Amino acid sequence: MKDVAIYAMPGNESFARVLAGLVECPLQRLLIHRFPDGEQLVTLDGPLSGKSIVIVCSLKRPDAKLLPLLFAADTARDLGAREVILIAPYLCYLRQDARFRPGESVSANSFGRLLSSWFDGLIAVEPHLHRLPSLCAVYTIPLRSAHSATATAAWIAANVTDPLIVGPDTESAAWVAQIAGRIGAPSVVAHKTRQGDRQVSLELHVPAAYAHRQPVIVDDILASGQTMLAAIGALVKAGFGSPVCIAVHGLFDGIGVDELIAAGAGSVVTCNTVPHASNAIDVTPAVREALGDLLDELASRR
């Protein structure tokens, strides 16, 4: 793409490098220097003037990343960028989308206003929406959601024989059906009850006709791992062995791949939205398509 330059916040270099290759634009250096007192200095290699600047930053554990990210956006604009776009393969602060108790912050709204004031456009992969109908409810800038279903279905088709796609809760039903439909596989969805942040139970019924199939659990986020553990347990109890576990966003907060394997998983695979050794599903083609579409919209607004 003409007049586009991509920058990677630290830790996002691999994703940004692949994306830059697909976009056919330069991956330019972004450096962060931390002073002894903890303050940070951001430096962007040029040229930037007149360009559409794309900053790639997956927002797992976002608080420490936020200030240098905003400094990078402000510096790009100060050095003449035509527009500044954030690609957040994993987008945070979507959990607290309502005020459940008096005095609580609605951080989804606050974070949406913050990013909307610093960036001209935003792309996220499979944003984890609960009660929000779409990101447009909290962001006021042009948005694109890049989807992982195509890449996930292709990985399953290439690596799993006779798959049975398993969704761990009703929220995953539409996504599970889409993946299953792409590869002509059956699917089932469990009913989940959450008693707390780290306590989950599942009810799962698998028709006898699927007994010979290889179960593939697919979920959008693997954080504490309790939902995935419950799904593994339900499948093992139903007589299935070694389910394949797939997550779009592998956060692995308090759980590791080894623990999932010890619980009965055959393998654990994630998309490359959050850098991790389990990354095996590449969603950069979907992000590249979303970026092209977003740049076209921004160009039409000039």
Side-chain angles (χ1 to χ4, degrees):
M1 294 180 182
K2 186 179 179 181
D3 294 331
V4 175
I6 294 179
Y7 291 85
M9 292 292 288
N12 296 269
E13 292 84 358
S14 178
F15 190 103
R17 188 176 300 109
V18 174
L19 180 62
L22 294 176
V23 175
E24 298 182 341
C25 74
L27 175 61
Q28 298 181 177
R29 286 202 311 163
L30 183 156
L31 302 176
I32 297 178
H33 173 74
R34 184 181 293 273
F35 294 102
D37 63 359
E39 293 185 3
Q40 298 177 83
L41 170 67
V42 176
T43 303
L44 304 177
D45 279 0
L48 291 89
S49 182
K51 289 191 174 184
S52 298
I53 300 304
V54 177
I55 302 175
V56 179
C57 185
S58 187
L59 289 171
K60 176 188 176 182
R61 299 194 178 279
D63 293 6
K65 302 173 182 177
L66 188 57
L67 271 181
L69 174 62
L70 299 185
F71 291 160
D74 193 50
T75 301
R77 190 167 282 108
D78 191 42
L79 293 175
R82 180 171 55 200
E83 56 214 1
V84 185
I85 296 167
L86 172 62
I87 294 181
Y90 170 67
L91 180 63
C92 59
Y93 281 117
L94 290 170
R95 176 189 294 110
Q96 188 76 9
D97 56 10
R99 183 170 290 112
F100 302 101
R101 296 180 182 84
E104 286 185 343
S105 65
V106 184
S107 52
N109 292 346
S110 301
F111 198 69
R113 285 191 291 268
L114 178 64
L115 291 189
S116 295
S117 67
W118 287 80
F119 291 93
D120 300 297
L122 169 67
I123 297 171
V125 179
E126 302 292 356
H128 188 66
L129 303 175
H130 294 275
R131 287 151 291 271
L132 296 174
S134 71
L135 288 177
C136 295
V138 291
Y139 287 86
T140 58
I141 52 177
L143 304 161
R144 293 296 183 275
S145 293
H147 300 293
S148 62
T150 298
T152 301
W155 187 92
I156 294 171
N159 292 277
V160 181
T161 303
D162 292 330
L164 168 66
I165 313 302
V166 180
D169 52 35
T170 53
E171 288 182 356
S172 67
W175 187 48
V176 164
Q178 184 181 7
I179 292 171
R182 288 178 180 274
I183 58 177
S187 64
V188 295
V189 175
H191 175 74
K192 180 172 74 173
T193 302
R194 182 180 289 279
Q195 289 83 29
D197 288 345
R198 296 184 178 273
Q199 190 174 0
V200 171
S201 62
L202 288 184
E203 294 179 13
L204 176 64
H205 172 69
V206 181
Y210 302 155
H212 68 287
R213 288 186 170 269
Q214 169 66 53
V216 181
I217 306 167
V218 291
D219 204 358
D220 59 347
I221 293 182
L222 201 169
S224 71
Q226 298 309 302
T227 298
M228 195 68 80
L229 285 171
I232 293 168
L235 286 164
V236 170
K237 183 178 179 180
F240 290 91
S242 303
V244 176
C245 299
I246 297 178
V248 179
H249 308 297
L251 304 183
F252 295 100
D253 290 324
I255 195 168
V257 171
D258 290 346
E259 292 172 75
L260 295 170
I261 298 295
S267 59
V268 180
V269 171
T270 59
C271 297
N272 58 340
T273 60
V274 179
H276 191 266
S278 63
N279 292 164
I281 300 173
D282 182 14
V283 296
T284 53
V287 172
R288 185 257 180 259
E289 182 177 350
L291 177 58
D293 193 41
L294 179 59
L295 287 169
D296 286 345
E297 178 181 345
L298 292 173
S300 71
R301 294 182 172 208
R302 291 184 206 128

